[in-house]
Amino acid sequence: MFLTEKEMMGQHIALAKTFQYFVERKGVVEEFFRQHQERKFLFLGCGSSYMIAKTGQRKFAACKDTAANAVAGGDYLVNQAFYEETVKGSIAVVLSRSGQTTEIVESVKAIKAYGCPVISISAKAENDIMPYSDLNLILDWCYDQSVSQTRTVTNLYMAVLFLAAIYQEDNYLIADLFRVVLNNKDYKEDNRERLKKIAAREWDNVVILADGPAIGVGEEGALAFTEIAMVPGKCCNVLDYRHGPMVLNDEKTLSIVLMGPGENQLQKDMLEDLKSRRGILITVSTEKENIYGADENIYIGEIRDFGVMGIPFIFIMQCLAYEKAILLGTNPDAPVGLDAFITLS
């Protein structure tokens, strides 16, 4: 068994630990927010963690009287003067698998000069960010040994959602997270063979369409296809896909669409446009039946929170990428030319 498969299929165990970890530290996080009452947040990450940072930005920006930004670590490191006003007065939330990526470590050092309180969420204990962080949340049970992240990124995503739930005192969000974690093992096993069959079909590029807070895992899912299977993947907002990128959608395109809780007719119309391209269409939704007329509809359960939908959603893309890599004869654990984290000289 490849490490990627082990980490991907075992992530329900890590999700349960992460959920319990936040339940136990809920009071600690609440006290942090009482001590630091800034209503402005800066989410910082690199690669996969930057994509999850975008989810944090959308989730926190949707909170009352709250502003939020997301910046890639490398972007900040190169353009610190440009981001000065973005950083000032913010609580910085730093996301990292290793806590050792140079862009992240050096950026946090620079941000601390503005007196910003820092929350770090990482999957490796005793990492290089911790000395500069005011609140360290360490999820070392979900550290992926394979180069491409599966289990780690799903847990970082849930951690951001739980952080938002504590910040806005949203017990309904916590309840949704609990249900998704509880059902994650069965959900993965119930859909594994179905996803294998989809992976075996003829497609050579992938489009992920998602909106709202789930856009972060949509982008991460597209990256999973590129890294794990070495198949080109791209992500767009659902309706925005019409504005140019759809011209490349053809009969060998796999389109995966997360049906969000918003206005439904506009999303249905978008699906009709996709069907006309004659590719393979997969819908991911809270509908048990295939009411959208897609090639496949994958039911993710009764989920109310838009962000929580991203947890079962990301598994679909991780699993399809893994199964495609096996069919193509590539090593999903170690893509050529890719490292687990980047150290700049």
Side-chain angles (χ1 to χ4, degrees):
M1 179 185 288
F2 285 101
L3 283 171
T4 300
E5 181 181 13
K6 180 181 178 182
E7 291 160 353
M8 175 183 69
M9 293 305 296
Q11 62 184 293
H12 60 280
I13 300 169
L15 284 168
K17 288 183 179 181
T18 298
F19 184 90
Q20 185 61 34
Y21 178 82
F22 272 87
V23 168
E24 293 171 355
R25 283 158 182 77
K26 186 170 180 286
V28 174
V29 178
E30 288 170 339
E31 180 59 27
F32 176 90
F33 287 134
R34 278 193 291 269
Q35 291 181 10
H36 304 284
Q37 298 192 12
E38 293 87 342
R39 306 293 288 182
K40 179 181 175 185
F41 289 82
L42 173 68
F43 287 84
L44 196 72
C46 286
S48 295
S49 61
Y50 173 52
M51 294 168 186
I52 304 308
K54 293 180 184 179
T55 285
Q57 182 273 322
R58 282 160 174 76
K59 196 67 179 171
F60 275 73
C63 296
K64 185 178 179 180
D65 300 325
T66 303
N69 297 286
V71 180
D75 185 1
Y76 179 74
L77 196 58
V78 172
N79 301 295
Q80 293 181 43
F82 175 80
Y83 285 112
E84 183 174 356
E85 294 303 320
T86 304
V87 171
K88 284 181 179 178
S90 296
I91 293 174
V93 182
V94 184
L95 308 173
S96 177
R97 168 170 51 174
S98 68
Q100 294 176 267
T101 299
T102 302
E103 292 105 305
I104 291 293
V105 177
E106 294 302 318
S107 292
V108 173
K109 289 181 183 178
I111 287 168
K112 287 298 289 183
Y114 293 100
C116 297
V118 173
I119 301 172
S120 69
I121 308 177
S122 57
K124 188 173 183 180
E126 304 304 322
N127 62 69
D128 297 338
I129 300 172
M130 292 176 69
Y132 309 100
S133 177
D134 301 277
L135 176 60
N136 289 298
L137 300 171
I138 306 298
L139 319 176
D140 55 358
W141 50 85
C142 68
Y143 186 90
D144 285 334
Q145 297 298 322
S146 52
V147 173
S148 298
Q149 298 183 52
T150 53
R151 175 182 59 189
T152 299
V153 78
T154 305
N155 279 266
L156 287 176
Y157 181 80
M158 189 175 79
V160 167
L161 294 178
F162 213 124
L163 193 69
I166 296 172
Y167 174 73
Q168 61 186 334
E169 300 178 349
D170 188 345
N171 289 326
Y172 290 108
L173 171 51
I174 294 174
D176 252 3
L177 287 170
F178 178 73
R179 283 191 292 271
V180 165
V181 171
L182 196 65
N183 295 329
N184 188 260
K185 181 176 185 291
D186 289 342
Y187 167 79
K188 294 196 306 289
E189 292 175 353
D190 289 346
N191 285 289
R192 181 76 187 274
E193 289 303 316
R194 190 178 182 190
L195 293 170
K196 275 187 180 182
K197 291 177 181 177
I198 295 171
R201 297 184 65 173
E202 289 190 35
W203 45 271
D204 59 16
N205 70 98
V206 183
V207 171
I208 312 298
L209 301 184
D211 281 330
I215 192 66
V217 286
E219 290 189 9
E220 169 58 25
L223 181 62
F225 283 102
T226 302
E227 288 185 347
I228 296 172
M230 302 188 75
V231 171
K234 63 180 69 67
C235 177
C236 291
N237 290 106
V238 178
L239 301 189
D240 211 54
Y241 186 52
R242 287 195 184 102
H243 295 264
M246 196 164 71
V247 298
L248 297 177
N249 194 299
D250 59 21
E251 63 276 3
K252 287 197 173 183
T253 301
L254 173 65
S255 299
I256 305 172
V257 185
L258 177 63
M259 301 299 291
E263 206 286 333
N264 204 34
Q265 188 57 52
L266 293 173
Q267 295 183 83
K268 287 181 177 179
D269 292 344
M270 183 69 221
L271 295 179
E272 292 304 315
D273 287 352
L274 288 170
K275 291 175 193 176
S276 72
R277 312 301 293 191
R278 302 187 305 279
I280 302 167
L281 175 61
I282 310 298
T283 52
V284 181
S285 74
T286 56
E287 300 289 343
K288 291 182 179 180
E289 304 299 326
N290 188 2
I291 66 171
Y292 303 110
D295 292 275
E296 297 278 355
N297 176 70
I298 298 177
Y299 172 61
I300 57 173
E302 296 181 6
I303 302 171
R304 289 174 293 183
D305 186 270
F306 201 174
V308 177
M309 292 179 179
I311 294 175
F313 181 47
I314 186 60
F315 169 73
I316 293 165
M317 296 171 282
Q318 292 170 346
C319 187
L320 281 170
Y322 173 79
E323 297 297 348
K324 198 66 168 180
I326 298 304
L327 289 168
L328 295 174
T330 63
N331 182 349
D333 290 348
V336 177
L338 193 66
D339 296 313
F341 60 89
I342 306 298
T343 301
L344 303 180
S345 57

